[in-house]
Amino acid sequence: AFDLVGERVQTDYRINEEERTADESYEIKVRNHRKDAVEVRIWEDPCRWRQWEITAHTQAFKKVDQRTFEFVVSVPPNEEKKITYTIRYSHLPMRR
């Protein structure tokens, strides 16, 4: 739909080799140019590793399964909603 616009940007990425973790942060913006409010489902797929947890978030989320979580956002007409979150991947393989 041309009247709903989404934008996703990675805002941070850090690796801690001693703890074998990686932290990655994102900002997602959803703009609604419609005359009515909309409910938007945003599906995210943690792709770096299979052990992960959300350590910070500005919007409630639901873990669908080990490979997917979702945000459900209500966006009023002619407004923008912004979601930020940080995901931590743990038990990363050791670098050689």
Side-chain angles (χ1 to χ4, degrees), residues 8 24 26 45-50 52 67 87 89:
R8 180 178 182 265
E24 190 168 33
Y26 287 95
D45 299 310
C47 61
R48 297 206 185 273
W49 194 242
R50 60 188 169 260
W52 58 270
R67 293 178 283 179
I87 186 168
Y89 298 97

Side-chain angles (χ1 to χ4, degrees), residues 77-96:
N78 295 310
E79 288 193 24
E80 174 182 278
K81 286 285 183 145
K82 180 169 56 170
I83 299 167
T84 61
Y85 74 90
T86 300
I87 186 168
R88 173 169 288 158
Y89 298 97
S90 59
H91 301 93
L92 296 175
M94 297 185 80
R95 289 188 175 189
R96 295 178 188 203

Side-chain angles (χ1 to χ4, degrees), residues 29-60:
K29 294 179 185 176
V30 179
R31 289 184 292 282
N32 177 12
H33 298 290
R34 294 182 178 184
K35 294 178 183 177
D36 299 317
V38 294
E39 183 177 272
V40 178
R41 294 183 178 276
I42 301 166
W43 290 66
E44 291 285 282
D45 299 310
C47 61
R48 297 206 185 273
W49 194 242
R50 60 188 169 260
Q51 300 293 324
W52 58 270
E53 66 176 315
I54 304 298
T55 58
H57 53 89
T58 59
Q59 175 78 28

Side-chain angles (χ1 to χ4, degrees), residues 62-74:
K62 175 184 168 188
K63 185 174 181 177
V64 177
D65 58 33
Q66 189 59 29
R67 293 178 283 179
T68 310
F69 62 98
E70 77 171 345
F71 296 100
V72 179
V73 182
S74 180

